Amino acid sequence: MDNDTKILTAALVLMLIAFPLTAIGSEQEITALWVVGLVVLAVGALIPPITRYASPGDDDDGDGDG
Amino acid sequence: MNQSDVPLDIFHWLLALSPVIVLLVLLAVLRWKAPQAGPVGLFVAAAVALVAFRTPWDTLAVSVGKGVWDAIFILFVVWPALLLYRVTDRAGAFDALRRGITKFSKNDLFLVLAFGWVFASFLQGIAGFGTPIAVVAPLLLAIGVKPVMAVVIPLIGHAWANMFGTLAVGWLATLQVVDIEDQTRTAFETAILLWIPNLAAGLFIAWLVGRGKGIVHGLPMIGAITLVHGGVQLVLTLWNPVLSNFLAATAAMVVLYPLSRWKRYSEEFPDEALVMKGSGDDGDGGTDEVDEEKEKQKAKPPMGLAMAFLPYVVLTLTSVFALVIPPVEDALETVEVGLGFPAVDTGYDVTEEAEDPYSPFAPFTHPGFFLLLSSAVAYGVYRSKGFYEEWGEEVEESGSITTSVFSDAAPASVAVVSFLVLSKIMDHSGQTDTLALGLAEVAPAPVFAFFASWIGVLGAFMTSSNTASNVLFAPLQQTVAEAEGLSEASIIAAQSTGGAVGNAIAPANVVLGTGTAGIVGQEGQVLRKTLPWSVGVTVLVGAATVLLTQIA
């Protein structure tokens, strides 16, 4: 598995983890839990745009992976 | 949802529009990849919600959680569809399909219409949730269609079938959120309007294949298929809207056979098919792809056409068995999973009721389950017959099936989650209401009738779902229709048709296609084809809606 895939998989996992954290946190009124859920989602969502500028081969001409 | 207090000034309207604009600019103008553009749109929607729409943090958290959950419904199609693709491709089944189908008909135009329009509509009739795009895009690749076109064609081809497809889930959901006085008339008018995107899909796909000559050559086929698709659905809405699309799409599949026996469609398309690889039109396949393609064309696939079709036969049979027979469906639906969310509101009194569980997920009636089942059957049969070893000796493939699935599915999944969270934030913060109500407030009756379908398109663009678009906007459309003295049936029909058309440009659907076609990052190129079609069709639907409201 290449690095880009690993990074995006990590981002995806973080975004998915936000679901149980925000659901249980808000339903059970555990503020810390849903706050962590929001933070985890934000971190996961930040990764792909950041990698756009971090990885030198990732140009803006829309040429895909395939 | 309480829609009465959302701000309806131009400042808030433009702010509410900004996440959509940012997304479109990043994807279509700056050519960002969807997994990079989606999160930026998400952050813009969240910032607008917090700063301008008085959205408390806990409401934001609930909308984020619901958005991720909504995305899981789509991801359960993305991953199994990619798995099915890789499982069949690695055994040489796609090459067998290409060779076998070419023997059946050598006509590129016929094949592209048959797969991209007729088969995609059939899949929408039974499965939905993006399955037509995820399944048909690789099939079109297999017969030699360029990757971008392989995504564009099913996006356009399946759109009309969204409303009454998947056994009319969109229609049933609409009946849950609005109390429609004359259901038969509403369903009938919806079917009238849906005929427009159906015919427009056939014509546009033929135009993509061969421009004017493509349309002329394809006209008898397009006429026959649209008569069956549109006509059968129209008549059946008077009897049973739930089965109207499924039966119409199935009948069209049957019509393909006599058409394929006609010399006009069994022999080669007389002109250059511009959507095929190696044609003179704009290329979208890289050098590596062309080399890989040449290598595959030399190799002899280890199986015949029937064996190559095995997973799709399994997919169709299991879907029909489970979803068309009520006792089977009821039994499978007993297993549901989901978590609850509390009631939340905003400073503008946009309120969401508590739901426990929120939108429960029935895995065994979801199309993803049937895709997984098909993948498992295909893998077992192909492995036992030694197809993987045989094809592996002929063609060099890099990485395992699992690695390939991850490299395609991970970027597509990040984009899908981002889009669905963005949509839920806009909904729970009242941005969606501001957009729709703002449009309704400034538009006189005929103008609103014209724009009713555009609101449907907006909903589908944001949620990638005809059903979700109608759940979001049908109550609003009904309220405005009543206030403006317009026909409720015509306006709900326009909303529903717009919701169907919007699926051709919905970012999550586009990413589903680019993911399965292996061209993640080329979403902008896909949108540049599907966007003009969607705009043109929505203009026609708007005009037809004005006519319907005048007749009513």
Side-chain angles (χ1 to χ4, degrees), chain A residues 40-66:
Chain A
V40 164
L41 185 282
V43 172
L46 270 174
I47 292 172
I50 287 174
T51 54
R52 178 178 180 78
Y53 295 102
S55 76
D58 203 3
D59 56 15
D60 63 353
D61 62 6
D63 286 333
D65 309 326

Side-chain angles (χ1 to χ4, degrees), chain A residues 9-10 20 25 28-32 35 38 41 44 47-50 63 65-66:
Chain A
T9 305
Q28 305 295 325
E29 296 183 3
I30 309 169
T31 306
V35 169
L38 275 180
L41 185 282
I47 292 172
I50 287 174
D63 286 333
D65 309 326

Side-chain angles (χ1 to χ4, degrees), chain B residues 359-374:
Chain B
S359 191
F361 180 52
F364 298 121
T365 52
H366 193 283
F369 174 68
F370 306 117
L371 285 163
L372 275 180
L373 213 59
S374 311

Side-chain angles (χ1 to χ4, degrees), chain A residues 1 5 8-9 12 15-16 19-20 22-23 26-27 34 38 41-42 45-46 48-49 52-53 58 60-66, chain B residues 30-33 35-36 39 43 57-58 61 64-65 68-69 289 339-342 406-407 410-411 413-414 418 518 520-522:
Chain A
M1 202 185 289
T5 305
L8 282 172
T9 305
L12 175 65
M15 293 171 96
L16 292 177
F19 166 66
T22 50
S26 57
E27 183 75 350
W34 63 253
L38 275 180
L41 185 282
L46 270 174
R52 178 178 180 78
Y53 295 102
D58 203 3
D60 63 353
D61 62 6
D63 286 333
D65 309 326
Chain B
L30 298 177
R31 302 188 181 198
W32 279 36
K33 294 178 180 179
Q36 298 163 340
F43 285 121
W57 284 96
D58 60 336
V64 162
V68 175
W69 183 240
E289 274 180 350
L339 290 173
F341 283 97
F406 265 85
S407 66
S413 304
V414 168
S418 304
V520 172
Q522 298 193 31

Side-chain angles (χ1 to χ4, degrees), chain B residues 107-180:
Chain B
N107 192 301
D108 290 334
L109 178 71
F110 173 82
L111 293 174
V112 169
L113 281 168
F115 278 115
W117 186 32
V118 183
F119 187 54
S121 301
F122 172 73
L123 286 176
Q124 183 61 34
I126 51 171
F129 292 98
T131 312
I133 306 154
V135 171
V136 171
L139 285 173
L140 288 174
L141 282 179
I143 60 167
V145 174
K146 294 175 183 175
V148 167
M149 287 300 173
V151 180
V152 168
I153 289 165
L155 273 170
I156 287 168
H158 93 292
W160 74 281
N162 270 275
M163 181 58 191
F164 291 114
T166 327
L167 299 177
V169 64
W171 171 249
L172 296 173
T174 307
L175 295 182
Q176 279 192 327
V177 294
V178 285
D179 190 13
I180 297 174

Side-chain angles (χ1 to χ4, degrees), chain B residues 215-233:
Chain B
I215 291 179
V216 171
H217 187 80
L219 217 47
M221 178 180 180
I222 296 166
I225 296 295
T226 199
L227 208 61
V228 175
H229 272 163
V232 171
Q233 176 169 274

